[in-house]
Amino acid sequence: LEQCRTGSVAEIRACLLDEALKIQKEDKAICRKMGFNGAELLEDGMTVLTHCHAGGLATADFGTALGVIYAAKQQGKKVHVFADETRPLLQGARLTAWELMQNGIETTLIADSMAAWVMSMGKIDCVIVGADRIARNGDVANKIGTYHLACAAQVHHVPLYVVGPTSTVDLDIASGAEIPIEERAGAEVTRVGDCPITPSGVTAANPAFDVTPAALIRGIITEKGIAYPPYTESLRRMVRGA
């Protein structure tokens, strides 16, 4: 910030702290709005499947995808959550499951490869995930494994919703094909923590994110409401207000 570039060390520190607290306050408000907008989609007794971590540990308050669950709970609805473990870094197992349990949400942890089968058994009412970046046409980049969840949900007629603030929407890119995908170290795949789980020297690919086509997404939940297809129009209205 320009106003934080001059002054004493103490003044600069105070300026930066003030700006950080403003960002925190804004994030809290956005999380709450997204949560309660999404909670409208949930009925008492529903079971939700989520992937990776999109809760309070990653934000200043409710979170994004998990914020919908917390808002539904505040409305008196009982929601059961199936949490994917989220290989290879296990954010679902390490973070999401813990956070949900701390908040009194009935939680079942499953391996990523179990999701389609659990859907086929009729145990999932909807899938709710976060978003790292959303293209103009509604394609969504999120943690690797989201795309295969969307495919399975489509086959089993389970609606998939994405939760993300309008700041995540990039109207300058036409589709997810323009979103670069980070390729992380193969050691994250060949090891769990410090423990090797594969043959020594095996080659491992490790794309950290994937892109879910807009056609597989039932709705995109933002702090300004829920966008529905065609996303090129609904997202533009939400971001630009026209």
Side-chain angles (χ1 to χ4, degrees):
L1 294 175
E2 191 61 36
Q3 61 267 34
C4 294
R5 293 181 181 273
T6 60
S8 66
V9 171
E11 289 171 335
I12 293 173
R13 183 186 296 119
C15 179
L16 292 173
L17 176 59
D18 181 65
E19 184 63 24
L21 292 174
K22 289 179 181 176
I23 294 172
Q24 180 189 44
K25 183 179 180 180
E26 180 183 23
D27 189 42
K28 285 184 175 181
I30 289 173
C31 285
R32 295 275 167 161
K33 289 177 181 176
M34 288 188 295
F36 284 100
N37 286 340
E40 296 177 6
L41 302 169
L42 300 184
E43 298 177 6
D44 185 38
M46 274 190 166
T47 298
V48 174
L49 174 63
T50 192
H51 186 71
C52 196
H53 180 70
L57 292 173
T59 65
D61 191 62
F62 257 1
T64 57
L66 295 193
V68 173
I69 308 300
Y70 300 147
K73 181 184 177 183
Q74 286 194 8
Q75 293 175 342
K77 301 171 185 175
K78 183 177 181 181
V79 179
H80 180 193
V81 178
F82 274 72
D84 272 356
E85 61 179 353
T86 320
R87 279 279 293 154
L89 294 182
L90 305 175
Q91 295 97 322
R94 295 184 297 108
L95 305 177
T96 300
W98 179 86
E99 186 179 309
L100 287 168
M101 293 172 68
Q102 292 297 306
N103 283 279
I105 305 295
E106 185 179 357
T107 308
T108 300
L109 179 66
I110 59 173
D112 295 0
S113 56
M114 300 174 186
W117 179 246
V118 172
M119 288 184 203
S120 76
M121 297 172 69
K123 293 186 176 183
I124 305 300
D125 294 303
C126 69
V127 178
I128 300 179
V129 298
D132 287 273
R133 196 173 181 187
I134 303 172
R136 185 167 68 238
N137 72 337
D139 291 350
V140 171
N142 195 48
K143 183 56 59 182
I144 191 72
T146 303
Y147 180 31
H148 93 256
L149 270 187
C151 292
Q154 182 84 347
V155 168
H156 295 100
H157 308 292
V158 175
L160 179 141
Y161 296 98
V162 170
V163 189
T166 52
S167 60
T168 309
V169 180
D170 189 347
L171 295 179
D172 292 330
I173 58 174
S175 73
E178 298 179 47
I179 300 176
I181 300 299
E182 177 188 5
E183 184 75 27
R184 294 179 60 87
E188 292 180 353
V189 176
T190 61
R191 308 176 73 87
V192 175
D194 295 326
C195 179
I197 59 172
T198 63
S200 178
V202 69
T203 299
N206 187 16
F209 305 92
D210 57 27
V211 175
T212 298
L216 302 180
I217 299 169
R218 182 69 61 88
I220 298 176
I221 302 164
T222 78
E223 77 277 16
K224 296 182 180 180
I226 304 175
Y228 293 102
Y231 293 114
T232 302
E233 297 177 9
S234 59
L235 290 175
R236 177 180 54 79
R237 286 195 300 269
M238 284 190 175
V239 173
R240 294 181 176 169

